Amino acid sequence: MSELTPVRLDKWLWAARFYKTRTLAQEAIDGGKVRYEGDRAKPAKSVALNAHIRLRQGYEELEVVVKGLSDKRGSATIARQLYEETEASRVARERAAEQRRIENASYNSVRPDKKQRRLLDKLKRTLIDTGQD
């Protein structure tokens, strides 16, 4: 971790393992999924210590505080030392994950069995024959 040399935002996001490639990090920044200190940023924006970065990854939205600077991608344990997730972000993320889990559990996607399919086919044929599309 170097604390004196400036690090680009896209490189920092890549080194902190938020995105697999720098190209994905650049696309996320350009797409408005990353906010630096509350504002949209460009990939070449220099990251400073204690800066707040809000980013979206799939369904999750994270807010992190920069604790270290690095432009080299290391292990996950080293990458985890580069940032700290805010408590409010962690609580909101866990609440959203629980909500998604509940919604998915209540969704019932049972396919009709053979007998039910035959009844549906018979109903469709009857409707077509009588002209009631």
Side-chain angles (χ1 to χ4, degrees):
M1 285 190 269
S2 77
E3 303 203 3
L4 301 175
T5 57
V7 178
R8 292 171 52 114
L9 180 59
D10 61 340
K11 273 191 176 185
W12 186 86
L13 290 169
W14 169 74
R17 293 183 166 260
F18 288 111
Y19 299 100
K20 283 187 175 186
T21 64
R22 277 188 57 202
T23 303
L24 289 175
Q26 288 171 346
E27 289 171 358
I29 294 167
D30 290 336
K33 291 178 176 62
V34 177
R35 299 214 172 245
Y36 183 85
E37 294 292 345
D39 298 324
R40 285 185 72 160
K42 293 189 177 181
K45 172 79 175 164
S46 293
V47 177
L49 290 176
N50 297 320
H52 288 266
I53 298 175
R54 181 178 287 275
L55 58 116
R56 176 170 220 109
Q57 288 182 305
Y59 291 115
E60 295 182 347
E61 190 166 319
L62 299 156
E63 184 173 348
V64 296
V65 178
V66 178
K67 294 297 180 186
L69 301 177
S70 177
D71 61 352
K72 295 191 177 16
R73 189 173 172 103
S75 68
T77 54
I78 293 172
R80 187 68 179 101
Q81 296 172 0
L82 297 177
Y83 64 92
E84 179 180 310
E85 185 176 8
T86 63
E87 186 65 24
S89 170
R90 186 187 61 76
V91 169
R93 187 171 48 82
E94 288 173 355
R95 189 178 303 128
E98 179 67 19
Q99 183 66 30
R100 281 193 310 276
R101 188 188 65 75
I102 290 169
E103 288 173 2
N104 288 340
S106 66
Y107 179 71
N108 189 5
S109 63
V110 177
R111 293 175 53 183
D113 61 11
K114 190 172 187 178
K115 184 176 181 180
Q116 292 168 336
R117 273 196 317 273
R118 286 181 177 164
L119 287 172
L120 285 171
D121 289 341
K122 184 178 180 182
L123 177 64
K124 287 178 187 176
R125 281 194 305 272
T126 305
L127 290 175
I128 291 171
D129 290 344
T130 60
Q132 297 177 4
D133 288 334

